[in-house]
Amino acid sequence: MTARILDGKAIAEKVREDIAQKAAQLIAQGTTPCLAVILVGSDPASAVYVRNKVAACEKAGFRSLKFEYAADVAPEVVFGKIAELNADASVHGILVQLPLPPQFDADKVLEAVSAEKDVDGFHAENFGMLLQGRESFYPCTPWGVMKMLEVSGVEVQGKDAVVIGRSNIVGKPMAVMLLTAGATVTVCHSKTKDLAGHVKRADIVVAAIGKPRFVTADMIKPGAVVIDVGVNRLPDGKLCGDVDFAGASEVASLITPVPGGVGPMTITMLLGNTLLSAQRAAARG
Ligand code: NAP
């Protein structure tokens, strides 16, 4: 079998067009969606992520604000800015780019962002709502995976799904979303015994590990849907995922590439959350 490739770039493009259209309607009614991004320090990867997020906002017709601080900034300064943005009715989303320098407690920073403006979906209140199957801001990467499955017509209900990875930003919310959608979910991690055996039984595999080509063709059930969240930089500078794409493509029915798979969906869902927040603010009046 040769797998169909799930083109995240193309799906993201379509979803972003829809978001831009809805944003235009909202703007015509007097509300311009606005995302504020806070960047601390000079990590080059973080700078690229922030630049891409700001550019995506502008392309969708949103307003964006960027606040940059030196790596040695006092935490109170950043907490002060978050409080100011929380109180600013023209700001609908607040994003603090991670990782933060060591003087910060990242959990405390994420909790300082108002849950109503937590467009990353990292606030404990939003995570609790997700667990209860209630409407909230969903974390962008797993939500992007769900959107890809939906757009590609993958039936989730009744399927056996395996998520490899249990981080708060990808693995855990991914497992909850698949569970809510009706899958029977197994979560594997570094302490899992017989990881290959679990993966082999899965109709849907989501890899979010951070280890290049960790998932190999022999672990995959023929015809499975394979979603690769991993982004790893190889010594030659190229990017690769957590799945051995060449081998897995011969066994899976559907597979995401890296780059060009899940990655483009993450920023797209950030735009989706910011639009949603602006729509909610407009409805509140
Ligand atoms: P993370 O916080 O480092 O979590 C990695 C998870 O993988 C942990 O739960 C860990 O298990 C598990 N793991 C590590 N080694 C393992 C092994 N040998 N066997 C089984 N499980 C193992 O990473 P993350 O933030 O979730 O990100 C995962 C990957 O996704 C990274 O490559 C990251 O760059 C990528 N990512 C991509 C996007 C995107 O937009 N495409 C967004 C976010 C993240 P333990 O919990 O037991 O340690």
Side-chain angles (χ1 to χ4, degrees):
M1 178 178 297
T2 303
R4 182 157 66 89
I5 292 173
L6 249 175
D7 184 346
K9 242 175 130 179
I11 297 172
E13 192 72 29
K14 271 193 127 167
V15 178
R16 285 189 205 192
E17 275 169 25
D18 181 53
I19 289 171
Q21 248 176 35
K22 291 192 172 120
Q25 283 166 16
L26 204 60
I27 292 164
Q29 292 159 16
T31 303
T32 303
C34 174
L35 175 70
V37 184
I38 294 176
L39 175 64
V40 184
S42 53
D43 175 54
S46 292
V48 172
Y49 290 140
V50 166
R51 203 180 320 131
N52 290 344
K53 287 168 187 173
V54 168
C57 277
E58 281 163 12
K59 204 167 166 212
F62 293 14
R63 202 159 70 90
S64 65
L65 305 170
K66 189 163 94 172
F67 302 95
E68 292 182 77
Y69 298 96
D72 61 354
V73 67
E76 305 83 70
V77 174
V78 174
F79 281 110
K81 178 52 75 180
I82 293 173
E84 193 187 301
L85 294 168
N86 280 340
D88 183 342
S90 73
V91 172
H92 306 106
I94 303 168
L95 180 155
V96 182
Q97 184 64 45
L98 300 176
L100 287 164
Q103 74 271 29
F104 286 89
D105 177 336
D107 286 340
K108 286 215 170 94
V109 174
L110 298 178
E111 295 295 294
V113 172
S114 153
E116 278 184 1
K117 300 188 180 187
D118 166 42
V119 287
D120 253 340
F122 293 164
H123 195 289
E125 188 177 318
N126 283 319
F127 197 58
M129 299 285 263
L130 170 67
L131 268 175
Q132 292 185 349
R134 294 162 69 186
E135 199 173 284
S136 68
F137 290 119
Y138 303 137
C140 300
T141 300
W143 191 28
V145 170
M146 294 307 289
K147 191 82 190 167
M148 286 179 102
L149 294 174
E150 178 198 315
V151 169
S152 321
V154 174
E155 180 69 61
V156 174
Q157 188 163 305
K159 296 285 166 60
D160 286 325
V162 165
V163 178
I164 317 173
R166 55 171 168 172
S167 71
N168 286 337
I169 63 167
V170 189
K172 279 185 205 160
M174 185 77 255
V176 175
M177 285 183 204
L178 288 164
L179 180 65
T180 304
T184 300
V185 184
T186 302
V187 183
C188 297
H189 45 80
S190 68
K191 308 291 183 287
T192 300
K193 287 182 198 155
D194 191 24
L195 183 140
H198 287 292
V199 175
K200 192 81 187 180
R201 286 189 288 276
D203 304 305
I204 299 171
V205 181
V206 181
I209 311 154
K211 294 209 182 310
R213 299 180 186 132
F214 181 90
V215 179
T216 47
D218 57 309
M219 296 181 187
I220 295 167
K221 174 170 148 179
V225 172
V226 177
I227 307 289
D228 191 352
V229 178
V231 180
N232 307 289
R233 180 83 54 191
L234 296 171
D236 65 4
K238 288 192 179 139
L239 290 181
C240 90
D242 289 344
V243 176
D244 172 23
F245 182 80
S249 302
E250 297 299 316
V251 188
S253 62
L254 208 57
I255 189 165
T256 60
V258 177
V262 175
M265 292 304 291
T266 297
I267 293 185
T268 304
M269 303 327 273
L270 174 69
L271 296 178
N273 273 342
T274 306
L275 174 70
L276 182 63
S277 180
Q279 287 169 328
R280 287 176 182 165
R284 282 195 300 269

